[in-house]
């Protein structure tokens, strides 16, 4: 059973006794960060096929027996110094101390016959460009005992992973629940690839697991000069950081109501925007000079920044800071000689793009915004810059990433998970029956048609954080983000203007989500005032 923080827990929750035969390993430097402790995920693949749950479980069990992959079953503990550590069992027992938790739920109907299941988006739909929050589907995609906060691990003997499979007559939902300290979005795909290799009977393709007691990034920032950071002169510190914190707290307090929705951005729209942007850059680039390269994710990021800033309508004197995480496996290839294969952990840092509100809101400027995003990424994704950034981060309170810009900045984060290629994940080896006929869908057998990612945030605000899940088989892009509730009607209008399909969206001009918004689990437990006070408390801890 998950552990839930109640009144008695304040006075001394009971932690499990240490098992003498367990190997105790401190978490790596960049895994045990305060904000990673606060984030837990229920990551779901929707397959329009019927998968064999027993075969999935057996393959995962076999993976845990290969090399050091069994370390995934480590128990998470908080030691007396406030540091997280792994307690790795010497052996596992499926009944008393399993390497993972695997649960199933079976419905004797098609998914469209289920009241909630019928609302779950999928690839190739004609409508539902704006979908409800992923958290609405938790009763469908998770077991009632699935974990959702750090306490569910450190005050129990729960293994790192809880896998839940929901079976319909034509659809399978495969969910992995975990805490962010275990891995980031790119390393998560290492886990799926290893699992699938076993599922396909190709165990020789499972890469060696990098043991938890080996940290390829342990020296990052040590001895590096902070002054080498390209934005060193723009760092928020001292009074400017305090002022930013107060402004952000006021935003959370005054506009406490927030909503999260999933957006499907049609691929033809992204292609048109990219072609137009590339044409603009070519026209303004000097003859004989190669125009800047723009990727589809660059365009998606630029569209999101412009759309959100327009909807929030901040004052013109404010700065916009867009923080974009990137993976460093290729930046530090000498530390990752296998290209990151077999690495389970966090290896991401951030690029920073600082903009003025005025330049964001200019007409027909997606080319400029996208090129600025690309320029910031190229500038930050070097060994020198990562070392300088991590030197700053090591010396900050709770090792939080630096903030860049002005004290009145509008904080935004854009994380591009397309690199993980989740929509190309191939579980066809577990398919026992086809759900939607292959001739009626764009995705192949055993490939996901939708990805539902529920993020549980405890005492860590994630407003204006966009997760680009990736591009599906139909070429459409899926974005998931949370912002002020009163901004969503304006976002909806901008989406309609882009799509130019007002007649396909519900009731014309009025904004209506596909399912009425439901607050996430931690929001339900607190009143709006209590939530604001908790946010205030958290930020005081970060800033003081």
């Amino acid at each position: 059973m998950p552990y839930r923080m109640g009144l008695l827990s304040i006075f001394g929750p009971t932690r499990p006794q240490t098992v003498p035969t367990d190997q105790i390993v401190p978490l790596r430097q960049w895994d045990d960060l305060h904000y990673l402790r606060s984030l837990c995920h229920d990551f779901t693949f929707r397959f329009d096929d019927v998968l064999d749950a027993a075969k999935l479980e057996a393959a995962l069990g076999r993976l845990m027996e290969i090399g050091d992959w069994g370390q995934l079953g480590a128990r998470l503990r908080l030691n007396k110094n406030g540091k997280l550590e792994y307690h790795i069992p010497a052996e596992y027992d499926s009944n008393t101390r399993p390497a993972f938790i695997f649960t199933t739920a079976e419905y004797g109907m098609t998914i469209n016959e289920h009241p909630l299941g019928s609302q779950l988006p999928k690839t190739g739909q004609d409508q539902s460009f704006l979908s409800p929050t992923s958290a609405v589907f938790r009763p469908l995609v998770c077991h009632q005992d699935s974990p959702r906060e750090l306490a569910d691990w450190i005050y129990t003997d729960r293994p790192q992973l809880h896998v839940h499979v929901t079976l319909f007559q034509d659809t399978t939902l495969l969910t992995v629940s975990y805490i962010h300290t275990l891995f980031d979005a790119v390393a998560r795909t290492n886990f799926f690839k290893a699992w699938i290799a076993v599922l396909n009977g190709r165990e020789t393709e499972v890469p060696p697991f990098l043991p938890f007691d080996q940290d390829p990034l342990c020296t990052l920032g040590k001895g590096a000069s902070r002054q080498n950071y390209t934005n060193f002169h723009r760092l928020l510190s001292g009074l400017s950081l305090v002022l930013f914190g107060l402004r952000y707290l006021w935003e959370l307090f005054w506009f406490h109501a927030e909503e999260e929705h999933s957006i499907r951005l049609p691929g033809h729209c992204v292609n048109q925007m990219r072609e137009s942007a590339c044409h603009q850059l070519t026209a303004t680039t000097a003859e004989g000079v190669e125009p800047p390269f723009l990727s589809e994710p660059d365009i998606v990021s630029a569209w999101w920044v412009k759309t959100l800033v327009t909807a929030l309508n901040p004052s013109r004197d404010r700065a916009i800071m867009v923080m974009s995480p990137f993976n460093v496996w290729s930046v530090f290839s000498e530390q990752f000689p296998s290209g990151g294969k077999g690495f389970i952990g966090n290896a991401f840092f951030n690029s920073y793009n600082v903009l003025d509100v005025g330049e964001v809101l200019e007409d027909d400027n997606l080319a400029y915004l996208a090129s600025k995003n690309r320029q910031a990424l190229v500038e930050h994704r070097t060994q020198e810059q990562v070392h300088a950034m991590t030197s700053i981060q090591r010396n900050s309170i709770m090792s939080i990433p630096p903030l860049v810009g002005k004290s009145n900045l509008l904080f935004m984060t854009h994380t591009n998970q397309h690199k993980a290629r989740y929509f190309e994940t191939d579980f066809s080896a577990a398919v026992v029956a086809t759900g939607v006929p292959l001739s009626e869908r764009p995705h192949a057998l055993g490939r996901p048609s939708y990805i539902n990612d529920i993020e549980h945030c405890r005492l860590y605000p994630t407003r204006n954080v966009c997760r680009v899940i990736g591009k599906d088989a139909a070429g459409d892009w899926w974005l998931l983000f949370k912002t002020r509730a009163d901004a969503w009607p304006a976002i909806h209008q901008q989406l309609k203007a882009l799509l130019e399909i007002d007649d396909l969206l519900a009731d014309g001009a009025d904004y209506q989500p596909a399912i009425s918004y439901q607050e996430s689990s931690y929001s339900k437990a607190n009143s709006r005032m209590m939530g604001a006070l908790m946010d205030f408390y958290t930020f005081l801890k970060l800033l003081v």
Side-chain angles (χ1 to χ4, degrees):
M1 292 289 290
Y3 181 89
R4 295 289 173 250
M5 296 291 284
L7 183 61
L8 292 178
S9 68
I10 298 175
F11 302 101
T14 302
R15 299 175 186 172
Q17 293 293 320
T18 297
V19 178
T21 55
D22 283 357
Q23 177 189 3
I24 300 177
V25 178
L27 264 66
R28 299 177 181 127
Q29 165 74 27
W30 305 108
D31 290 337
D32 190 13
L33 300 178
H34 188 270
Y35 63 94
L36 296 185
R37 296 182 182 188
S38 303
L39 302 175
C40 301
H41 288 261
D42 300 315
F43 188 83
T44 303
F45 290 118
R46 170 183 177 154
F47 300 101
D48 294 329
D49 302 296
V50 181
L51 273 60
D52 186 333
K55 192 172 183 179
L56 291 171
E57 183 177 9
L60 184 53
R62 173 57 189 148
L63 175 63
M64 296 292 183
E65 298 172 348
I66 298 175
D68 289 313
W69 281 92
Q71 291 192 10
L72 283 174
R75 273 52 179 169
L76 199 60
R77 297 283 188 269
L78 189 68
N79 65 28
K80 62 182 181 181
N81 297 319
K83 299 292 185 180
L84 288 176
E85 55 191 26
Y86 286 130
H87 288 215
I88 306 172
E91 59 182 15
Y92 297 106
D93 183 284
S94 59
N95 295 316
T96 60
R97 219 174 178 216
F100 58 91
I101 295 176
F102 195 100
T103 54
T104 60
E106 188 168 353
Y107 295 88
M109 63 182 76
T110 66
I111 193 169
N112 286 333
E113 293 174 325
H114 189 278
L116 187 57
S118 62
Q119 302 300 321
L120 192 69
K122 66 178 179 179
T123 292
Q125 290 184 140
D126 293 330
Q127 298 185 14
S128 298
F129 293 99
L130 182 64
S131 302
T133 174
S134 297
V136 168
F137 300 107
R138 193 170 200 270
L140 180 68
V141 302
C142 290
H143 189 269
Q144 62 182 1
D145 293 338
S146 294
R148 60 174 182 262
E149 62 179 280
L150 175 64
D152 292 337
W153 281 275
I154 63 174
Y155 296 120
T156 68
D157 195 47
R158 172 185 293 277
Q160 292 285 286
L161 299 171
H162 186 139
V163 178
H164 184 69
V165 178
T166 305
L167 295 167
F168 290 93
Q169 293 175 341
D170 59 351
T171 306
T172 303
L173 308 176
L174 172 61
T175 301
V176 177
S177 298
Y178 67 95
I179 187 168
H180 205 326
T181 55
L182 180 60
F183 44 47
D184 58 27
V186 180
R188 181 168 55 195
T189 199
N190 277 351
F191 163 66
F192 289 125
K193 287 179 179 178
W195 186 2
I196 289 170
V198 177
L199 189 65
N200 286 322
R202 299 197 297 263
E203 293 186 9
T204 57
E205 296 180 8
V206 176
F209 182 91
L210 187 68
F212 285 137
D213 61 0
Q214 296 181 24
D215 186 353
L217 301 177
C218 62
T219 62
L220 284 192
K222 291 184 177 179
S225 173
R226 303 166 72 246
Q227 285 77 9
N228 287 340
Y229 179 46
T230 186
N231 285 317
F232 181 76
H233 63 289
R234 307 171 77 178
L235 289 174
L236 291 188
S237 61
L239 180 60
S240 62
L241 183 59
V242 172
L243 290 176
F244 162 75
L246 293 175
R247 286 176 179 270
Y248 193 80
L249 290 170
W250 178 250
E251 155 82 12
L252 294 175
F253 179 81
W254 190 251
F255 300 101
H256 193 68
E258 57 187 21
E259 292 184 14
E260 181 180 67
H261 292 280
S262 178
I263 286 179
R264 179 165 65 90
L265 202 57
H268 69 87
C269 294
V270 175
N271 292 337
Q272 290 172 1
M273 289 189 290
R274 183 171 182 265
E275 290 174 6
S276 176
C278 290
H279 179 75
Q280 288 183 35
L281 291 178
T282 300
T284 56
T285 301
E287 187 175 350
V289 178
E290 187 74 19
F293 169 77
L294 293 182
S295 66
E296 291 174 290
D298 290 330
I299 293 297
V300 171
S301 172
W303 178 85
W304 171 71
V305 169
K306 190 175 183 68
T307 297
L308 185 56
V309 172
T310 300
L312 294 174
N313 192 28
S315 60
R316 290 284 176 143
D317 65 336
R318 294 189 68 180
I320 308 294
M321 189 201 78
V322 184
M323 188 169 73
S324 300
F326 61 87
N327 180 271
V328 298
W329 293 350
S330 61
V331 178
F332 294 95
S333 56
E334 63 273 19
Q335 274 76 38
F336 296 96
S338 63
K341 295 178 181 179
F343 176 79
I344 297 295
N346 292 274
F348 68 93
F349 297 95
N350 305 293
S351 69
Y352 295 84
N353 188 11
V354 181
L355 304 158
D356 293 328
V357 171
E359 61 182 337
V360 172
L361 298 181
E362 287 181 10
D363 293 333
D364 196 26
N365 67 338
L366 280 186
Y368 171 76
L369 296 177
S371 62
K372 285 277 289 183
N373 174 75
R374 169 60 51 177
Q375 179 185 348
L377 182 61
V378 171
E379 185 178 69
H380 286 83
R381 199 166 55 185
T382 67
Q383 288 196 10
E384 180 190 55
Q385 287 302 299
V386 173
H387 274 297
M389 283 189 291
T390 51
S391 176
I392 295 167
Q393 190 170 346
R394 280 181 180 275
N395 291 287
S396 67
I397 301 297
M398 297 185 184
S399 296
I400 60 173
L403 296 177
V404 174
K406 303 176 183 178
S407 63
N408 68 346
L409 67 83
L410 174 60
F411 176 83
M412 300 168 65
T413 298
H414 176 271
T415 172
N416 173 29
Q417 300 181 13
H418 176 60
K419 183 177 181 180
R421 299 295 196 273
Y422 289 123
F423 282 100
E424 299 173 21
T425 308
D426 183 2
F427 274 89
S428 58
V431 173
V432 293
T434 302
V436 177
L438 295 177
S439 60
E440 298 177 11
R441 68 193 203 191
H443 49 287
L445 186 77
R447 303 286 180 95
S449 65
Y450 175 68
I451 292 171
N452 197 74
D453 188 9
I454 304 172
E455 185 175 67
H456 304 278
C457 316
R458 184 172 179 83
L459 305 182
Y460 185 80
T462 56
R463 180 174 297 190
N464 300 338
V465 175
C466 176
R467 286 173 280 155
V468 179
I469 303 301
K471 183 169 72 170
D472 66 20
D476 297 338
W477 289 81
W478 291 88
L479 291 69
L480 181 64
F481 63 94
K482 181 193 305 179
T483 191
R484 283 166 24 190
D486 61 6
W488 278 102
I491 295 171
H492 182 240
Q493 291 298 324
Q494 292 179 79
L495 183 61
K496 287 172 60 179
L498 174 67
L499 300 172
E500 297 180 343
I501 53 169
D502 291 19
D503 56 323
L504 292 182
L505 293 175
D507 301 326
D510 293 334
Y511 160 71
Q512 293 291 335
I515 298 179
S516 59
Y517 174 71
Q518 296 183 18
E519 293 180 302
S520 60
S521 56
Y522 75 89
S523 297
K524 290 180 180 179
N526 300 284
S527 66
R528 291 177 60 184
M529 180 65 73
M530 180 59 71
L533 289 174
M534 296 304 286
D535 290 336
F536 179 76
Y537 169 72
T538 301
F539 264 86
L540 281 181
K541 287 174 65 178
L542 293 175
L543 295 174
V544 174

